[in-house]
Short mmCIF file of all heavy atoms in Angstrom, two decimals:
data_model
loop_
_atom_site.label_atom_id
_atom_site.label_comp_id
_atom_site.label_asym_id
_atom_site.label_seq_id
_atom_site.Cartn_x
_atom_site.Cartn_y
_atom_site.Cartn_z
N PHE A 113 30.08 -201.37 -117.63
CA PHE A 113 31.45 -201.88 -117.45
C PHE A 113 32.11 -201.28 -116.21
O PHE A 113 32.74 -201.95 -115.44
CB PHE A 113 32.31 -201.57 -118.67
CG PHE A 113 33.60 -202.33 -118.70
CD1 PHE A 113 33.66 -203.60 -119.27
CD2 PHE A 113 34.77 -201.76 -118.24
CE1 PHE A 113 34.85 -204.33 -119.28
CE2 PHE A 113 35.96 -202.43 -118.23
CZ PHE A 113 36.02 -203.75 -118.77
N MET A 116 30.94 -202.68 -113.01
CA MET A 116 31.48 -204.02 -112.78
C MET A 116 32.90 -203.92 -112.20
O MET A 116 33.25 -204.61 -111.23
CB MET A 116 31.48 -204.80 -114.10
CG MET A 116 31.97 -206.20 -114.07
SD MET A 116 33.77 -206.32 -114.31
CE MET A 116 33.99 -205.65 -115.93
N VAL A 117 33.73 -203.03 -112.76
CA VAL A 117 35.12 -202.89 -112.30
C VAL A 117 35.09 -202.37 -110.81
O VAL A 117 35.83 -202.87 -109.99
CB VAL A 117 35.89 -201.91 -113.22
CG1 VAL A 117 37.28 -201.68 -112.62
CG2 VAL A 117 36.01 -202.47 -114.60
N VAL A 120 34.40 -205.15 -108.43
CA VAL A 120 35.57 -206.02 -108.23
C VAL A 120 36.54 -205.33 -107.25
O VAL A 120 37.04 -205.99 -106.33
CB VAL A 120 36.28 -206.36 -109.54
CG1 VAL A 120 37.56 -207.17 -109.30
CG2 VAL A 120 35.37 -207.05 -110.51
N ILE A 121 36.80 -204.06 -107.49
CA ILE A 121 37.75 -203.30 -106.59
C ILE A 121 37.27 -203.41 -105.15
O ILE A 121 38.05 -203.74 -104.23
CB ILE A 121 37.87 -201.83 -107.03
CG1 ILE A 121 38.45 -201.74 -108.42
CG2 ILE A 121 38.70 -201.03 -106.02
CD1 ILE A 121 38.47 -200.35 -109.00
N ASP A 136 41.63 -195.64 -111.67
CA ASP A 136 41.67 -194.54 -112.66
C ASP A 136 40.83 -195.00 -113.82
O ASP A 136 41.36 -195.57 -114.82
CB ASP A 136 43.13 -194.28 -113.04
CG ASP A 136 43.29 -193.17 -114.03
OD1 ASP A 136 42.24 -192.51 -114.37
OD2 ASP A 136 44.40 -192.93 -114.51
N LEU A 137 39.52 -194.83 -113.69
CA LEU A 137 38.58 -195.50 -114.62
C LEU A 137 38.02 -194.54 -115.68
O LEU A 137 37.33 -193.58 -115.37
CB LEU A 137 37.47 -196.12 -113.78
CG LEU A 137 37.92 -197.03 -112.64
CD1 LEU A 137 36.74 -197.57 -111.86
CD2 LEU A 137 38.81 -198.19 -113.12
N PHE A 139 36.59 -195.72 -118.78
CA PHE A 139 35.68 -196.35 -119.74
C PHE A 139 34.31 -196.33 -119.11
O PHE A 139 34.04 -197.03 -118.10
CB PHE A 139 36.12 -197.81 -120.05
CG PHE A 139 35.27 -198.39 -121.14
CD1 PHE A 139 35.64 -198.38 -122.47
CD2 PHE A 139 34.04 -199.02 -120.82
CE1 PHE A 139 34.88 -198.94 -123.46
CE2 PHE A 139 33.23 -199.56 -121.80
CZ PHE A 139 33.68 -199.53 -123.13
N ILE A 150 34.01 -211.68 -117.55
CA ILE A 150 34.89 -210.52 -117.63
C ILE A 150 35.26 -210.11 -116.18
O ILE A 150 36.41 -209.79 -115.88
CB ILE A 150 34.25 -209.39 -118.41
CG1 ILE A 150 33.97 -209.83 -119.85
CG2 ILE A 150 35.12 -208.13 -118.40
CD1 ILE A 150 33.10 -208.89 -120.67
N VAL A 153 38.06 -212.23 -114.92
CA VAL A 153 39.44 -211.84 -115.40
C VAL A 153 39.91 -210.67 -114.57
O VAL A 153 41.06 -210.68 -114.11
CB VAL A 153 39.37 -211.42 -116.91
CG1 VAL A 153 40.72 -211.00 -117.39
CG2 VAL A 153 38.85 -212.62 -117.78
N VAL A 154 39.08 -209.66 -114.37
CA VAL A 154 39.50 -208.48 -113.60
C VAL A 154 39.86 -208.91 -112.17
O VAL A 154 40.88 -208.46 -111.61
CB VAL A 154 38.43 -207.37 -113.57
CG1 VAL A 154 38.89 -206.15 -112.84
CG2 VAL A 154 38.02 -206.98 -115.02
N THR A 155 39.04 -209.78 -111.59
CA THR A 155 39.29 -210.24 -110.24
C THR A 155 40.63 -210.99 -110.15
O THR A 155 41.42 -210.78 -109.23
CB THR A 155 38.16 -211.19 -109.75
OG1 THR A 155 36.96 -210.50 -109.91
CG2 THR A 155 38.35 -211.57 -108.30
N LEU A 157 43.31 -210.68 -112.05
CA LEU A 157 44.47 -209.75 -112.20
C LEU A 157 44.67 -208.95 -110.91
O LEU A 157 45.80 -208.75 -110.46
CB LEU A 157 44.29 -208.83 -113.42
CG LEU A 157 44.21 -209.49 -114.77
CD1 LEU A 157 44.27 -208.42 -115.87
CD2 LEU A 157 45.29 -210.53 -115.00
N LEU A 158 43.54 -208.51 -110.34
CA LEU A 158 43.65 -207.67 -109.17
C LEU A 158 44.11 -208.46 -107.91
O LEU A 158 44.93 -208.03 -107.15
CB LEU A 158 42.28 -206.96 -108.91
CG LEU A 158 42.31 -205.60 -108.25
CD1 LEU A 158 43.27 -204.66 -108.93
CD2 LEU A 158 40.89 -204.99 -108.27
N ILE A 172 47.40 -200.14 -108.73
CA ILE A 172 46.59 -199.22 -109.53
C ILE A 172 45.85 -199.97 -110.63
O ILE A 172 46.39 -200.88 -111.23
CB ILE A 172 47.50 -198.13 -110.20
CG1 ILE A 172 48.38 -197.44 -109.14
CG2 ILE A 172 46.65 -197.08 -110.92
CD1 ILE A 172 49.49 -196.61 -109.74
N ILE A 173 44.59 -199.65 -110.81
CA ILE A 173 43.83 -200.22 -111.91
C ILE A 173 43.31 -199.11 -112.84
O ILE A 173 42.70 -198.16 -112.36
CB ILE A 173 42.69 -201.16 -111.38
CG1 ILE A 173 41.86 -201.71 -112.55
CG2 ILE A 173 41.79 -200.51 -110.33
CD1 ILE A 173 41.00 -202.88 -112.21
N TYR A 174 43.61 -199.25 -114.06
CA TYR A 174 43.22 -198.25 -115.09
C TYR A 174 42.24 -198.90 -116.09
O TYR A 174 42.40 -200.09 -116.42
CB TYR A 174 44.36 -197.85 -116.01
CG TYR A 174 45.71 -197.51 -115.41
CD1 TYR A 174 46.61 -198.49 -115.14
CD2 TYR A 174 46.01 -196.18 -115.14
CE1 TYR A 174 47.87 -198.16 -114.58
CE2 TYR A 174 47.26 -195.83 -114.57
CZ TYR A 174 48.17 -196.86 -114.30
OH TYR A 174 49.39 -196.56 -113.76
N THR A 175 41.26 -198.13 -116.52
CA THR A 175 40.54 -198.58 -117.72
C THR A 175 40.61 -197.47 -118.75
O THR A 175 40.62 -196.28 -118.41
CB THR A 175 39.04 -198.86 -117.43
OG1 THR A 175 38.42 -197.67 -116.90
CG2 THR A 175 38.89 -199.98 -116.45
N VAL A 176 40.78 -197.87 -120.02
CA VAL A 176 40.95 -196.93 -121.11
C VAL A 176 39.91 -197.19 -122.20
O VAL A 176 39.68 -198.34 -122.57
CB VAL A 176 42.36 -196.99 -121.73
CG1 VAL A 176 42.58 -195.90 -122.76
CG2 VAL A 176 43.44 -196.92 -120.63
N ASP A 177 39.28 -196.13 -122.74
CA ASP A 177 38.33 -196.28 -123.83
C ASP A 177 39.05 -196.06 -125.12
O ASP A 177 39.46 -194.95 -125.47
CB ASP A 177 37.21 -195.22 -123.65
CG ASP A 177 36.07 -195.49 -124.57
OD1 ASP A 177 36.25 -196.14 -125.63
OD2 ASP A 177 34.95 -195.04 -124.24
N HIS A 178 39.23 -197.17 -125.91
CA HIS A 178 39.88 -197.06 -127.19
C HIS A 178 38.83 -197.06 -128.36
O HIS A 178 39.13 -197.51 -129.45
CB HIS A 178 40.80 -198.22 -127.43
CG HIS A 178 42.09 -198.17 -126.59
ND1 HIS A 178 42.90 -197.10 -126.59
CD2 HIS A 178 42.63 -199.10 -125.76
CE1 HIS A 178 43.93 -197.34 -125.76
NE2 HIS A 178 43.80 -198.54 -125.26
N SER A 181 37.51 -200.73 -128.54
CA SER A 181 37.85 -201.73 -127.50
C SER A 181 37.98 -201.07 -126.13
O SER A 181 38.14 -199.86 -126.02
CB SER A 181 39.18 -202.44 -127.84
OG SER A 181 40.25 -201.49 -127.80
N VAL A 182 37.95 -201.90 -125.11
CA VAL A 182 38.22 -201.39 -123.76
C VAL A 182 39.47 -202.12 -123.23
O VAL A 182 39.66 -203.28 -123.45
CB VAL A 182 37.00 -201.69 -122.82
CG1 VAL A 182 36.54 -203.14 -122.83
CG2 VAL A 182 37.35 -201.26 -121.36
N GLN A 183 40.33 -201.32 -122.60
CA GLN A 183 41.51 -201.89 -122.05
C GLN A 183 41.54 -201.72 -120.50
O GLN A 183 41.18 -200.66 -120.00
CB GLN A 183 42.77 -201.22 -122.63
CG GLN A 183 44.08 -201.84 -122.12
CD GLN A 183 45.31 -201.19 -122.73
OE1 GLN A 183 45.32 -200.79 -123.90
NE2 GLN A 183 46.36 -201.10 -121.95
N VAL A 184 41.91 -202.81 -119.87
CA VAL A 184 42.05 -202.80 -118.41
C VAL A 184 43.52 -203.12 -118.08
O VAL A 184 44.10 -204.07 -118.63
CB VAL A 184 41.16 -203.83 -117.73
CG1 VAL A 184 41.32 -203.80 -116.21
CG2 VAL A 184 39.67 -203.60 -118.10
N SER A 185 44.12 -202.29 -117.27
CA SER A 185 45.54 -202.52 -116.84
C SER A 185 45.61 -202.54 -115.32
O SER A 185 45.04 -201.68 -114.66
CB SER A 185 46.47 -201.42 -117.34
OG SER A 185 46.35 -201.26 -118.77
N VAL A 186 46.36 -203.47 -114.78
CA VAL A 186 46.55 -203.57 -113.35
C VAL A 186 48.01 -203.52 -113.02
O VAL A 186 48.80 -204.35 -113.45
CB VAL A 186 45.92 -204.87 -112.75
CG1 VAL A 186 46.13 -204.96 -111.27
CG2 VAL A 186 44.47 -204.94 -113.07
N ARG A 187 48.39 -202.45 -112.31
CA ARG A 187 49.81 -202.23 -112.00
C ARG A 187 50.14 -202.55 -110.58
O ARG A 187 49.41 -202.11 -109.64
CB ARG A 187 50.08 -200.73 -112.30
CG ARG A 187 51.42 -200.19 -111.86
CD ARG A 187 52.31 -199.98 -113.07
NE ARG A 187 53.66 -199.54 -112.76
CZ ARG A 187 54.64 -200.34 -112.43
NH1 ARG A 187 54.45 -201.66 -112.36
NH2 ARG A 187 55.86 -199.85 -112.21
N VAL A 230 39.59 -214.18 -122.42
CA VAL A 230 39.89 -213.04 -123.25
C VAL A 230 39.96 -213.45 -124.72
O VAL A 230 39.44 -212.76 -125.60
CB VAL A 230 41.15 -212.33 -122.76
CG1 VAL A 230 41.59 -211.28 -123.77
CG2 VAL A 230 40.94 -211.68 -121.38
N LYS A 236 42.91 -209.59 -126.31
CA LYS A 236 44.22 -210.11 -125.96
C LYS A 236 44.61 -209.73 -124.57
O LYS A 236 44.07 -208.77 -123.99
CB LYS A 236 45.27 -209.60 -126.98
CG LYS A 236 45.26 -208.16 -127.22
CD LYS A 236 46.19 -207.81 -128.41
CE LYS A 236 46.16 -206.34 -128.60
NZ LYS A 236 47.22 -205.53 -128.68
N ILE A 237 45.61 -210.46 -124.03
CA ILE A 237 46.06 -210.27 -122.66
C ILE A 237 47.57 -210.35 -122.70
O ILE A 237 48.18 -211.10 -123.44
CB ILE A 237 45.41 -211.31 -121.72
CG1 ILE A 237 45.71 -211.04 -120.24
CG2 ILE A 237 45.86 -212.75 -122.09
CD1 ILE A 237 44.79 -211.83 -119.26
N TRP A 238 48.20 -209.47 -121.91
CA TRP A 238 49.69 -209.47 -121.95
C TRP A 238 50.24 -208.87 -120.61
O TRP A 238 49.48 -208.39 -119.77
CB TRP A 238 50.19 -208.64 -123.13
CG TRP A 238 49.93 -207.18 -123.07
CD1 TRP A 238 50.76 -206.19 -122.67
CD2 TRP A 238 48.70 -206.47 -123.47
NE1 TRP A 238 50.16 -204.94 -122.77
CE2 TRP A 238 48.90 -205.10 -123.28
CE3 TRP A 238 47.46 -206.91 -124.00
CZ2 TRP A 238 47.91 -204.15 -123.56
CZ3 TRP A 238 46.46 -205.95 -124.25
CH2 TRP A 238 46.70 -204.61 -124.05
N THR A 248 52.70 -205.03 -114.77
CA THR A 248 51.48 -204.48 -115.25
C THR A 248 50.79 -205.57 -116.12
O THR A 248 51.38 -205.93 -117.15
CB THR A 248 51.64 -203.20 -116.04
OG1 THR A 248 52.41 -202.29 -115.26
CG2 THR A 248 50.30 -202.56 -116.41
N PHE A 249 49.68 -206.08 -115.69
CA PHE A 249 48.91 -207.03 -116.49
C PHE A 249 47.79 -206.25 -117.20
O PHE A 249 47.09 -205.46 -116.56
CB PHE A 249 48.34 -208.13 -115.61
CG PHE A 249 49.30 -209.23 -115.33
CD1 PHE A 249 50.18 -209.15 -114.31
CD2 PHE A 249 49.38 -210.36 -116.15
CE1 PHE A 249 51.08 -210.21 -114.00
CE2 PHE A 249 50.26 -211.39 -115.90
CZ PHE A 249 51.14 -211.30 -114.85
N CYS A 250 47.65 -206.48 -118.51
CA CYS A 250 46.64 -205.76 -119.26
C CYS A 250 45.83 -206.75 -120.12
O CYS A 250 46.35 -207.78 -120.52
CB CYS A 250 47.28 -204.78 -120.25
SG CYS A 250 48.50 -203.70 -119.54
N PHE A 251 44.56 -206.38 -120.32
CA PHE A 251 43.81 -207.05 -121.39
C PHE A 251 42.92 -206.05 -122.09
O PHE A 251 42.56 -205.02 -121.53
CB PHE A 251 43.01 -208.23 -120.79
CG PHE A 251 41.80 -207.89 -120.02
CD1 PHE A 251 40.58 -207.78 -120.66
CD2 PHE A 251 41.85 -207.66 -118.66
CE1 PHE A 251 39.40 -207.46 -119.93
CE2 PHE A 251 40.71 -207.35 -117.93
CZ PHE A 251 39.50 -207.22 -118.54
N SER A 252 42.61 -206.36 -123.33
CA SER A 252 41.65 -205.51 -124.03
C SER A 252 40.69 -206.40 -124.80
O SER A 252 41.08 -207.49 -125.22
CB SER A 252 42.40 -204.55 -125.01
OG SER A 252 42.83 -205.26 -126.14
N ILE A 253 39.43 -205.97 -124.82
CA ILE A 253 38.44 -206.73 -125.57
C ILE A 253 37.66 -205.78 -126.48
O ILE A 253 37.43 -204.62 -126.11
CB ILE A 253 37.47 -207.53 -124.65
CG1 ILE A 253 36.97 -206.60 -123.50
CG2 ILE A 253 38.10 -208.75 -124.08
CD1 ILE A 253 35.92 -207.29 -122.58
#
Side-chain angles (χ1 to χ4, degrees):
F113 194 87
M116 181 273 298
V117 175
V120 176
I121 296 173
D136 181 3
L137 308 178
F139 185 95
I150 299 169
V153 178
V154 182
T155 306
L157 297 189
L158 210 50
I172 307 167
I173 176 164
Y174 314 87
T175 58
V176 186
D177 192 335
H178 289 306
S181 66
V182 52
Q183 183 179 325
V184 179
S185 306
V186 179
R187 170 106 182 87
V230 170
K236 52 188 179 129
I237 188 164
W238 67 98
T248 307
F249 276 87
C250 310
F251 75 90
S252 75
I253 47 176

